[in-house]
Amino acid sequence: METFIPVLRGGQEHRSRDSRPLHDVNGNPLAEVHEAPALTTRLTAKAMRQGPALDPEKRLAVLAEAGALFAGATLGGQTPEEYCRLQALASGVPVAVARGTLERMRGDSALLGTVVGRQSPVGAGRTARWVRRGSVLGVVAPSNHPATHGAWLQALAMGYRVAVRPGTRDPFTPLRLVRALLQAGLDPHWISLLPGSHSAADSLVQAADLALVYGSEATVARMRGNDRVLVRGPGRTKILVDGAYDDRTLDHLVTETASDGGVRCTNTTAVLTSGDHRELAEALAERLARLPAHPVTDDRAVLPVRPRKEAEALRASLDRAAQGASDLTGRHYEDGPLAPVGDDGVALRPAVLCVDRGDHPGLRTELPFPCVWVAPWRPSDGLGPLDDSLALTLLTDDAPLVAEALESPGIRTVLHGRVADWWKDPYLPHDGYLGQFLNEARGFAAA
């Protein structure tokens, strides 16, 4: 078992006088997390700026090797399967998600050169140079899904040194990635792991040249207007079912809502339809309610697990948002929406909320389990109820509506038709290309 999560800087793992216990979803001690004080964070960022330059081709080779090591090697005494077990117990995400992330990191890391290359503007290399805006990127990481850490691997590919403050529930994924990178030969000045509190996260944002911050609505509001910070907040992902639905459509809705335990920011949170919205909601509720509850490390687990008190708070927040809505899954659960699956852990069963208008405030709700709102939509409503979406799937033959969605700045990804596993595509922008934030075009001409 991992006995401690270290502060990792300059290639060395350190214990700190500041530490906190990390408990699993059943309330059992899992690890001791050692935290970097603010001064350590500032000194680390300064030292990273002074690290040696690395040839781009060598960087890409190191990243590809690190992806393979992350997927298959024993790192810091930890096997891939032990990593998956610890990640699931700490985060509450089904263990299959971590297992899938192993291979995803292997594949995506091998493609990083092409992925970041596609983010350069066409003019780069002719009348312009596509160059970094800084040297050190601070990352305030989330705990919802281990694959989110693939984003800062892109930053390394672009030539940034990266300092990561892990999410409070998942320090295991970034620690394993950092160890893989160092074993693959990345210069120690190029990568750091700095666990810490929220105030420590603020210190990292201030110390780095640029920052990538994952957070809540409050975080988004606090960071808004700071052009040194890219904030990736809650994701509202919607699907429009224009017309009648069939079994294939229902299968797609279930997959998009509940895959990976419903914890991704790209899981569907709202379905709008021009058909009978209540009938669709009833059918979707019946399908989602079949998902079984198992301990998070069980191979059959498909639902997230949280400590009971935390799970009760999440359900209470849903109840507050559900004013005027009908929870159509409730009657399918004889013992309630929280299923005991351990000493203190409970699985969060899916919720389907049916509302009678597309502007119900509940449609803005995002929760870390399969929770979807179903509402009516009419062609006369246009894009209004569909706007403000991280991703929007349009199951429609209305070509002008698709074109309008592509033009809307509030819709970050448009999917036309049933696109399977679209969120795994390493070339598809997630809320825009990361390179748009990290780099800038500078004019260049030579005699």
Side-chain angles (χ1 to χ4, degrees), residues 132-408:
R132 297 190 311 274
R133 296 175 57 209
S135 297
V136 176
L137 176 70
V139 178
V140 179
S143 297
N144 64 311
H145 195 292
T148 56
H149 291 278
W152 57 261
L153 292 182
Q154 291 187 25
L156 284 170
M158 294 178 202
Y160 274 86
R161 288 87 163 161
V162 177
V164 182
R165 182 266 195 180
T168 54
R169 292 197 317 276
D170 179 19
F172 297 105
T173 301
L175 175 58
R176 184 171 179 82
L177 266 175
V178 172
R179 285 172 169 167
L181 287 161
L182 292 170
Q183 186 164 317
L186 185 68
D187 186 278
H189 289 90
W190 278 66
I191 188 70
S192 299
L193 187 78
L194 304 172
S197 63
H198 289 297
S199 61
D202 289 341
S203 295
L204 178 58
V205 170
Q206 293 164 9
D209 300 320
L210 299 175
L212 171 62
V213 177
Y214 294 82
S216 64
E217 293 279 12
T219 301
V220 172
R222 187 163 58 89
M223 298 290 184
R224 187 177 288 118
N226 186 341
D227 66 357
R228 292 180 49 256
V229 181
L230 176 62
V231 182
R232 287 185 166 168
R236 299 182 184 90
T237 298
K238 302 172 188 175
I239 295 180
L240 171 66
V241 180
D242 188 11
Y245 66 90
D246 55 19
D247 282 342
R248 288 183 64 205
T249 301
L250 273 178
D251 290 343
H252 188 70
L253 296 180
V254 169
T255 298
E256 292 300 299
T257 301
S259 61
D260 286 0
V263 301
R264 296 192 325 264
C265 57
T266 52
N267 283 113
T268 299
T269 54
V271 175
L272 295 100
T273 179
S274 60
D276 186 328
H277 70 288
R278 181 162 288 275
E279 179 184 310
L280 176 59
E282 294 276 9
L284 183 57
E286 194 276 330
R287 290 279 190 100
L288 286 170
R290 297 178 194 171
L291 296 178
H294 294 291
V296 73
T297 53
D298 192 307
D299 292 345
R300 300 166 295 173
V302 292
L303 297 176
V305 175
R306 293 289 179 87
R308 176 170 288 279
K309 186 175 180 180
E310 187 177 339
E312 288 173 346
L314 287 169
R315 285 297 310 196
S317 69
L318 176 59
D319 291 342
R320 289 192 295 271
Q323 299 299 317
S326 303
D327 183 353
L328 301 182
T329 46
R331 69 175 181 274
H332 294 282
Y333 306 138
E334 292 183 2
D335 55 348
L338 303 178
V341 290
D343 296 337
D344 188 52
V346 295
L348 287 145
R349 286 171 164 155
V352 176
L353 291 302
C354 185
V355 295
D356 292 328
R357 66 182 213 268
D359 62 348
H360 190 286
L363 272 69
R364 296 179 56 81
T365 302
E366 184 195 39
L367 292 168
F369 65 97
C371 177
V372 62
W373 298 69
V374 182
W377 178 87
R378 299 290 177 265
S380 58
D381 294 334
L383 205 60
L386 308 174
D387 208 349
D388 188 24
S389 298
L390 177 62
L392 171 64
T393 294
L394 295 168
L395 304 182
T396 181
D397 295 326
D398 188 343
L401 183 66
V402 176
E404 185 182 358
L406 281 166
E407 294 288 335
S408 171

Side-chain angles (χ1 to χ4, degrees), residues 386-438:
L386 308 174
D387 208 349
D388 188 24
S389 298
L390 177 62
L392 171 64
T393 294
L394 295 168
L395 304 182
T396 181
D397 295 326
D398 188 343
L401 183 66
V402 176
E404 185 182 358
L406 281 166
E407 294 288 335
S408 171
I411 300 173
R412 307 302 292 161
T413 299
V414 176
L415 306 153
H416 190 197
R418 289 185 290 264
V419 184
D421 292 334
W422 59 271
W423 60 276
K424 292 182 181 179
D425 185 343
Y427 300 106
L428 198 69
H430 177 95
D431 200 1
Y433 283 132
L434 185 59
Q436 294 172 262
F437 170 69
L438 295 180

